[in-house]
């Protein structure tokens, strides 16, 4: 390098000085403030910084707090310091009006900003210290732009603050105006202000929840509106024609100078009296309007209402109101939809006297668009909720062979330019996907011949509408906001141009109320339509019509959402040594996506309806398929299934399943028919939906193809076609905190077995367990994910090991739960695992599945007790019992006695399977069929359940295995036998037994105790636990009696019996004089959980065993009591209860005395029991019919 260049570089380095820090600048300005040259006062300084939310912002130096003293602005986010200019001094005081829309930063030039900035990080300029930054002291263009942005942001935030303050003041004034209007209405009627007698219900803050409400009728005797008065005895039905009126009455007028609410509401009431409609739906009803309406003599005499003074919580501060003529209709039920704390739509099921037709009338007031924002998505969500509630109620009412007509009426506020409602799903004709469809509802106004446009909101004709429009949007175009829709007959989605034949009610005439007034009483015109009853009388649901291939009104109209996913969850984790899942995806488990974003499940109702709709789609698919086996379906994969899907910025390595799996296309088609608005998967691929399993994502296609080459070179990769078993379809929902999908339901991909379809031989085949395993697929996957998450946080590993019925392959839906042993390896002892792993696991499950039922309990007693986490994640899934087993990280052996017990419990079942597997797989199949059948028979006989002193699943499995294993070994059951022969042989052999004591060690303490007490004893072969440890003499006697009474005819009769509770009463009356009814009750509240209910039921089981022992001591010999294991659950609006029955034959006096003592014992032993416990003794002849 030349000496000249060296000198130039040295001079440049010398000029580039270190910039003083922001902290130093703050210290300098604090201790040596800048003084104004003319006034001598201090000059205010602003700090410019980067705000993570609002962008460039400024704060006064006097208000700045350092980060170490609790401030929120770190030093590295400070960009500049500047003096305040004239435009920072606030409003001018010269009396001139300033232009509020003027950009505040536009009043400063770049030169002025250069003068104001004292320190600039970006430009390395420092005007406070001479030895700091660049010598030029020039402010960077980026900082000048930041100063302008900061001034604009500060001005915008200040304007927003003022606007919020103005809106709060406006709402306060409106509230005062409503209160004044209510007081004026009372004064006008000569009444005094009344206090609300009806307390506001404390409802959960959930989206679109439907709550059953009440209705009111006026009582002349009490001179007041009363609850649920009976229908008038003079009910008449003189005509098939009737009229429906809908009107938005405008809760308050925007023009405070023209406050004429009472006068215009009186005019509305007068118009309604003249119409004398059969059904009236009103929107924007306030308590003040309600007082005026309910003071009408006609309303008091002829109408029932959903709200009446002083019961006005459903219309406070405003809401919807339904009225109907009580002499023509009676209310079956009334409902209110709440979105959080807000009253939204309401609904009434009205049955016509004498003829029996039922009108399902829903009154809606959907959200209106605001200036610059659309509420279309919110309108669709609420409308879908209304349709879902109509669909649910219609399905219930049609079961009684009623003619049901769903109607939706009210203020829809729909966007007519975008045909928001006429989308081919809700109403109208449109292309849905690639198919022309017509919606489930028909617009009644369009069925009237020669009808006018029907604009109910017309700013050009209605001065009140013009003022309302000025407050919301700038347009003056008229709209048909208020409409009336009637459910049409199902046509399979096809277009029917003779549309009057589609509806049960035929519109005869229609007109607008208030349209001819010079100053209408509301900003909306009322809608009045007269109807006649059609010639057809459908007695099947119109919103869930089977002729529409499974599509129902709710699933057709529901808005899509990226937070939902429908897929096939695979049981296998790998194939050919390759992991078949993408750990980085939002669903990191093996799966095939069917529909992504098929439904917005933002409420409990929407979630339940989505699962129900998916179940319908699976049912339709199975009915259309020719090959349906007990084990469901398989996915075929061959060596050439590896493929690459290229995206814009990445590529995916997948298993392409389009070949060899034609049934997948039929399954996908079934779901797209049910959810016609969901096309997300089709739009992702040029050739339409392509079924695949994602193996991983790569930056480029070449990288992904290199991975394929690497996999094919692996010796473990498949060389021929392989199978991936599929058992269920899983519904997933996104968990917002981590963005991952988690299962909320599992739908078995096989036909549900029916007890009515048993063949001539009453044996439950493998189809029963296949359906049960399909229900269990998703819940096992969720437990496994939660265990992996918990173990990772605790730096250990966790692996699930199935036990019980599921491991044996004998699970039965509705009867069997899932037993899981969690093998935990890590540097923890057993006490640390109990203290950390299970609480963390329960916390994780409750976080991901908020509605899950979780409870910790102890199984067994003394040193043989085990900690069990019981979980029921979904309503349709079996419950799980999760037991910990801590293993030594070195040799994998259990570390303590409890872990040994859990470890050996799985070996008990393995020994049963191995004993058959060594000889014949057919023998194992026969064993499973017989065991399923025996378990179902025992449950229906009321002798099933270890917690109540009978044999549970393990006990019956051991007994069946003991009998059949010996018979297979001795040849008594030869190669040609079937399940039916083995079932009859089992009962004949057990009948020969005088006791149910089975053990390889006849000298064990459990065996000796059982012989002495006359109870059952069954010692497991490996764990040596007693499957009948809770048995008592009376439960043993009941079990033996049921077995000895069994015959081929009685087996089939018991297995196919549906009237289980009725049969329980019959047996009580036949065998016992008295019945002891033991009941626990829980009051329903927002804090009452399903876990508490399950805990109360478990507590009751423990008390029953103790009571049973006390009864046995007082009833020797043949007068032993009989406990029935069938529980009766009864739900009401206020409480839920569980009851068990014990049949006794002692005297009434002795029973009453014993129960009194037992009640006192319970109260003393459990003074703080969270449930209400009750014991009652009744003559069996006085028992009332039971209901589930």
């Amino acid at each position: 390098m030349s000496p000249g260049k060296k000198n130039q570089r040295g001079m440049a380095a010398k000029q580039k000085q270190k910039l003083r820090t922001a902290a130093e600048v703050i210290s300098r300005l604090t201790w040596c403030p800048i003084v104004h040259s003319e006034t001598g006062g201090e000059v205010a300084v602003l700090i410019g910084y980067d705000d993570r939310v609002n962008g460039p912002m400024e704060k006064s130096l006097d208000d700045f707090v350092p980060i170490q003293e609790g401030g929120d602005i770190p030093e590295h986010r400070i960009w500049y310091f500047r003096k305040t200019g004239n435009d920072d001094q606030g409003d001018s005081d010269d009396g001139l009006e300033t232009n509020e829309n003027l950009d505040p930063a536009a009043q400063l030039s770049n030169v002025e900003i250069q003068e104001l900035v004292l320190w600039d990080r970006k430009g390395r300029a420092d005007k406070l210290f001479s030895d700091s930054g660049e010598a030029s002291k020039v402010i960077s263009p980026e900082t000048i732009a930041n100063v302008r942005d900061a001034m604009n942001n500060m001005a915008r935030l200040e304007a927003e603050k003022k606007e919020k303050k103005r809106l709060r003041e406006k709402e306060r004034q409106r509230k005062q105006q409503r209160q004044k209007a209510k007081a004026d209405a009372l004064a006008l009627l000569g009444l005094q202000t009344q206090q609300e007698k009806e307390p506001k219900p404390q409802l959960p803050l959930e989206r679109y929840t439907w709550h059953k409400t009440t209705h009111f009728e006026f009582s002349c005797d009490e001179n007041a509106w009363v609850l649920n008065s009976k229908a008038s005895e003079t009910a008449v039905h003189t005509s098939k024609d009737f009229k429906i009126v809908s009107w938005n009455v405008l809760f308050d007028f925007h023009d405070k100078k023209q406050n004429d609410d009472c006068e215009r509401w009186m005019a509305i009431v007068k118009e309604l009296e003249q119409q004398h409609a059969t059904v009236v739906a009103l929107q924007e009803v306030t308590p003040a309007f309600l007082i005026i309406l309910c003071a009408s003599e006609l309303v008091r005499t002829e109408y029932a209402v959903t709200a009446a003074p002083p019961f006005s919580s459903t219309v406070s501060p405003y809401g919807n109101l339904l009225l109907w003529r009580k002499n023509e209709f009676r209310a079956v039920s009334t409902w209110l939809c709440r979105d959080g704390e807000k009253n939204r739509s309401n609904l009434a099921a009205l049955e016509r006297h004498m003829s029996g037709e039922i009108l399902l009338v829903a009154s809606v007031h959907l959200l209106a668009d605001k200036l610059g924002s659309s509420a279309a998505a919110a309108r669709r969500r609420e409308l879908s909720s209304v349709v879902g509630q109509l669909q649910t109620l219609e399905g219930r009412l049609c079961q009684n062979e009623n003619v049901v007509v769903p109607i939706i009426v009210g203020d829809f506020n729909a966007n007519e330019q975008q045909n928001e409602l006429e989308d081919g799903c809700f109403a109208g004709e449109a292309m849905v996907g690639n198919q022309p469809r017509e919606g489930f509802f028909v617009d009644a106004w369009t069925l009237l011949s020669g009808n006018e446009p029907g604009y109910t909101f017309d700013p050009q004709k209605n001065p009140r509408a013009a003022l309302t429009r000025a407050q919301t949007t700038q347009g003056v175009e008229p709209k048909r906001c208020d409409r009336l829709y009637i459910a049409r007959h199902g046509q399979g989605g096809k277009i029917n141009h003779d549309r009057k034949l589609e509806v049960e009610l035929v519109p005869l005439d229609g007109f607008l109320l208030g349209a001819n007034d010079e100053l209408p009483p509301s900003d909306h015109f009322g809608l009045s339509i007269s109807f006649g009853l059609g010639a057809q009388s459908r007695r099947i649901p119109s919103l869930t019509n089977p002729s529409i291939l499974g599509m129902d009104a709710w699933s057709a109209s529901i808005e899509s959402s990226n937070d939902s996913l429908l897929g096939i969850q695979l049981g296998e984790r790998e194939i050919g040594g390759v992991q078949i899942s993408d750990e980085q995806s939002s669903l990191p488990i093996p799966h095939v996506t069917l529909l992504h974003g098929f439904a917005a499940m933002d409420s409990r109702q929407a979630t339940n309806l989505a699962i129900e709709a998916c179940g319908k789609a699976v049912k339709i698919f199975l009915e259309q398929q020719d090959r349906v086996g007990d084990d469901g379906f398989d996915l075929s994969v061959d060596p050439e299934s590896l493929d690459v899907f290229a995206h814009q910025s990445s590529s995916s390595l997948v298993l392409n399943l389009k070949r060899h799996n034609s049934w997948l296309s039929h399954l996908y088609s079934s779901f797209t028919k049910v959810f016609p608005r969901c096309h997300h998967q089709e739009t992702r691929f040029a050739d339409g939906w392509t079924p695949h399993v994602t193996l991983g994502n790569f930056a480029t296609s070449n990288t992904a193809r290199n991975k394929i080459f690497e996999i094919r070179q692996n010796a473990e990769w498949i060389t021929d076609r392989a199978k991936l078993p599929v058992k269920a379809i899983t519904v997933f929902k996104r968990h917002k905190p981590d963005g991952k999908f988690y299962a909320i339901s599992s739908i078995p991909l096989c036909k549900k077995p029916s007890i009515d379809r048993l063949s001539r031989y009453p044996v439950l085949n493998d189809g029963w367990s296949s359906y049960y395993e399909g229900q269990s697929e998703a819940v096992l996957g969720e437990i496994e994910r939660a265990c992996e998450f918990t173990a990772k946080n605790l730096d250990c590993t966790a692996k699930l090991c199935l036990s019980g019925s599921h491991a044996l392959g004998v699970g039965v839906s509705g009867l069997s739960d899932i037993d899981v042993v969690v093998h935990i390896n890590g540097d923890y002892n057993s006490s640390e695992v109990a203290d950390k792993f299970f609480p963390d696991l329960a916390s994780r499950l409750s976080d991901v599945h908020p509605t899950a039922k979780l409870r910790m309990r102890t199984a067994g007693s003394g040193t043989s007790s085990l900690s069990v986490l019981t979980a029921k994640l979904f309503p349709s899934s079996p419950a799980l019992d999760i037991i910990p087993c801590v293993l030594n990280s070195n040799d994998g052996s259990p570390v303590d006695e409890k872990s040994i017990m859990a470890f050996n419990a799985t070996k008990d079942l393995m020994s049963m399977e191995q004993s058959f597997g060594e000889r014949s797989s057919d023998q194992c199949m026969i064993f499973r069929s017989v065991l399923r059948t025996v378990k179902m028979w025992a449950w229906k006989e009321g002798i099933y359940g270890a917690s109540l002193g009978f044999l549970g699943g393990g006990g019956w499995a051991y007994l069946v295995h003991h009998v059949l294993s010996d018979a297979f070994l001795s040849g008594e059951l030869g190669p040609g036998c079937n399940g039916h022969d083995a079932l009859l042989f089992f009962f004949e052999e057990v009948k020969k037994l005088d006791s149910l004591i089975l053990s390889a060690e006849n000298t064990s303490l459990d065996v000796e105790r059982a012989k002495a007490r006359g109870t059952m004893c069954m010692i497991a072969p490996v764990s040596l636990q007693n499957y009948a440890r809770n048995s008592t003499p009376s439960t043993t006697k009941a079990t033996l009696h049921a077995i000895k009474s069994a015959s081929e005819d009685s087996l089939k009769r018991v297995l196919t019996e549906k009237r289980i509770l009725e049969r329980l009463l019959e047996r009580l009356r036949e065998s016992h004089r008295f019945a002891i009814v033991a009941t626990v009750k829980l009051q329903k509240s927002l804090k009452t959980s399903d876990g508490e209910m399950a805990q109360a039921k478990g507590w009751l089981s423990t008390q029953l065993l103790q009571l049973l022992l006390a009864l046995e001591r007082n009833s020797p010999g043949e007068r032993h009591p009989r406990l029935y294991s069938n529980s009766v659950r009864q739900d009401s609006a206020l409480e839920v209860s569980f009851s068990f029955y014990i049949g006794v034959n002692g005297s009434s006096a002795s029973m009453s005395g014993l129960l009194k003592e037992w009640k006192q014992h319970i109260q003393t032993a459990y003074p703080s029991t969270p449930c209400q416990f009750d014991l009652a003794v009744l003559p069996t002849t006085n028992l009332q019919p039971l209901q589930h």
Side-chain angles (χ1 to χ4, degrees), residues 690-966:
T690 304
H692 65 278
V693 179
T694 302
L695 306 182
N697 280 298
F698 299 87
T700 64
S701 299
N702 288 335
T703 309
R705 297 190 187 283
N706 291 337
K707 185 64 176 179
I708 291 180
F709 179 77
E710 179 184 333
I711 292 173
R712 288 174 176 169
Q713 297 301 313
N714 192 332
E716 295 184 28
W717 181 242
I718 58 176
T719 58
D720 200 357
R721 188 180 299 183
K723 299 288 187 181
L724 291 173
V726 174
K727 295 181 179 179
I729 304 297
T730 305
V731 182
F732 297 93
K733 186 176 180 180
R734 193 187 302 275
H735 182 53
K736 293 295 181 66
D738 63 4
K740 303 287 186 181
F741 283 101
Y742 295 90
I744 60 171
S745 183
S746 184
I747 304 166
L749 200 58
C750 59
K751 291 183 178 179
K752 183 177 181 179
S754 173
I755 202 74
D756 297 330
R757 297 177 183 175
L758 287 177
S759 61
R760 186 169 63 91
Y761 304 120
V763 179
L764 276 61
N765 57 28
D766 286 349
W768 289 81
S769 293
S770 296
Y771 191 84
Y772 161 81
E773 290 169 4
Q775 289 181 311
S776 309
E777 189 78 7
V779 71
L780 283 173
E782 290 303 298
I783 295 296
E784 187 172 16
R785 291 176 70 181
C787 286
E788 291 175 352
F789 177 89
T790 305
K792 184 178 180 181
N793 289 340
L794 295 177
D795 195 23
C796 61
T797 61
K799 181 181 178 182
L800 299 189
C801 184
L802 289 174
S803 182
S805 300
H806 198 290
L808 279 177
V810 296
V812 177
S813 178
L815 177 61
S816 305
D817 57 6
I818 307 173
D819 296 315
V820 176
V821 177
V822 183
H823 289 175
I824 305 169
N825 285 273
D827 298 329
Y828 291 97
N829 57 40
S830 60
S831 62
E832 288 179 328
V833 169
D835 292 341
K836 295 182 178 181
F837 189 88
F838 263 31
D840 288 1
L841 175 61
S843 175
R844 177 61 179 174
L845 289 172
S846 62
D847 177 44
V848 176
H849 302 280
T851 60
K853 306 175 184 178
L854 302 170
R855 69 183 180 105
M856 291 292 300
R857 63 183 180 89
T858 300
S861 60
T863 58
S864 61
S865 62
L866 289 173
S867 297
V868 181
L869 173 62
T870 299
K872 187 173 179 63
L873 299 190
F874 327 133
S876 60
S877 69
L880 291 100
D881 284 339
I882 310 171
I883 305 171
C885 177
V886 187
L887 304 179
N888 190 303
S889 57
N890 295 324
D891 57 8
S893 61
V895 299
D896 59 9
E897 183 178 352
K898 293 185 178 181
S899 296
I900 293 173
M901 290 176 57
F903 189 79
N904 289 337
T906 58
K907 288 190 174 182
D908 288 331
L909 300 176
M910 291 173 59
S911 66
M912 294 184 194
E913 285 191 320
Q914 290 171 358
S915 65
F916 291 112
E918 293 173 357
R919 283 170 278 180
S920 170
S921 59
D922 292 339
Q923 292 177 2
C924 192
M925 296 282 287
I926 292 172
F927 163 69
R928 289 171 177 167
S929 297
V930 172
L931 180 54
R932 288 188 206 100
T933 309
V934 169
K935 287 172 62 176
M936 178 67 78
W937 167 83
W939 177 68
K940 291 198 169 188
E941 282 284 350
I943 56 171
Y944 186 89
S947 63
L948 291 172
F950 298 100
L951 292 179
W956 286 109
Y958 186 67
L959 180 59
V960 173
H961 173 268
H962 174 80
V963 174
L964 296 189
S965 178
D966 290 348

Side-chain angles (χ1 to χ4, degrees), residues 538-829:
R538 60 175 180 270
R539 298 182 183 273
I540 58 174
S542 58
L543 304 184
T544 55
N545 197 326
S547 66
I548 313 183
L549 300 178
M551 179 175 66
D552 57 47
W554 179 86
S555 64
S557 63
I558 186 63
E559 192 75 10
S560 61
S561 169
N562 287 332
D563 292 337
S564 60
L565 188 145
L566 190 66
I568 301 174
Q569 185 171 341
L570 305 178
E572 299 293 336
R573 287 264 183 166
E574 63 176 38
I575 181 172
V578 178
Q579 184 175 343
I580 51 176
S581 64
D582 180 11
E583 296 295 336
Q584 304 302 319
S585 73
S586 56
L587 183 54
I589 60 174
H591 72 281
V592 180
T593 299
L594 294 170
L595 294 180
H596 186 192
F598 64 96
M601 296 184 290
D602 52 1
S603 68
R604 188 174 301 183
Q605 178 211 43
T607 301
N608 294 337
L609 287 171
I611 295 171
E612 181 182 334
C614 292
K616 294 177 184 176
V618 171
K619 183 178 179 181
I620 293 167
F621 164 73
L622 293 175
E623 290 175 351
Q624 294 175 345
Q625 292 301 300
D626 294 327
R627 62 174 194 90
V628 178
D630 288 339
D631 294 329
F633 294 82
D634 294 327
L635 288 175
S636 295
V637 180
D638 61 25
E640 302 303 318
S641 296
L642 291 172
D643 200 355
V644 174
F645 289 170
H647 313 298
Q648 290 184 353
S649 58
S650 63
S651 293
S652 298
L653 174 61
V654 302
L655 283 177
N656 194 329
L657 304 174
K658 203 162 189 176
R659 293 188 302 171
H660 314 306
N661 299 290
S662 59
W663 64 271
L664 277 176
S665 299
H666 298 298
L667 179 63
Y668 175 75
S669 177
S670 298
F671 280 109
T672 55
K673 289 175 181 176
V674 173
F675 299 100
R677 295 170 62 88
C678 182
H679 310 291
H680 183 272
Q681 290 300 109
E682 289 186 2
T683 57
R684 292 186 61 194
F685 306 100
D687 299 332
W689 176 67
T690 304
H692 65 278
V693 179
T694 302
L695 306 182
N697 280 298
F698 299 87
T700 64
S701 299
N702 288 335
T703 309
R705 297 190 187 283
N706 291 337
K707 185 64 176 179
I708 291 180
F709 179 77
E710 179 184 333
I711 292 173
R712 288 174 176 169
Q713 297 301 313
N714 192 332
E716 295 184 28
W717 181 242
I718 58 176
T719 58
D720 200 357
R721 188 180 299 183
K723 299 288 187 181
L724 291 173
V726 174
K727 295 181 179 179
I729 304 297
T730 305
V731 182
F732 297 93
K733 186 176 180 180
R734 193 187 302 275
H735 182 53
K736 293 295 181 66
D738 63 4
K740 303 287 186 181
F741 283 101
Y742 295 90
I744 60 171
S745 183
S746 184
I747 304 166
L749 200 58
C750 59
K751 291 183 178 179
K752 183 177 181 179
S754 173
I755 202 74
D756 297 330
R757 297 177 183 175
L758 287 177
S759 61
R760 186 169 63 91
Y761 304 120
V763 179
L764 276 61
N765 57 28
D766 286 349
W768 289 81
S769 293
S770 296
Y771 191 84
Y772 161 81
E773 290 169 4
Q775 289 181 311
S776 309
E777 189 78 7
V779 71
L780 283 173
E782 290 303 298
I783 295 296
E784 187 172 16
R785 291 176 70 181
C787 286
E788 291 175 352
F789 177 89
T790 305
K792 184 178 180 181
N793 289 340
L794 295 177
D795 195 23
C796 61
T797 61
K799 181 181 178 182
L800 299 189
C801 184
L802 289 174
S803 182
S805 300
H806 198 290
L808 279 177
V810 296
V812 177
S813 178
L815 177 61
S816 305
D817 57 6
I818 307 173
D819 296 315
V820 176
V821 177
V822 183
H823 289 175
I824 305 169
N825 285 273
D827 298 329
Y828 291 97
N829 57 40

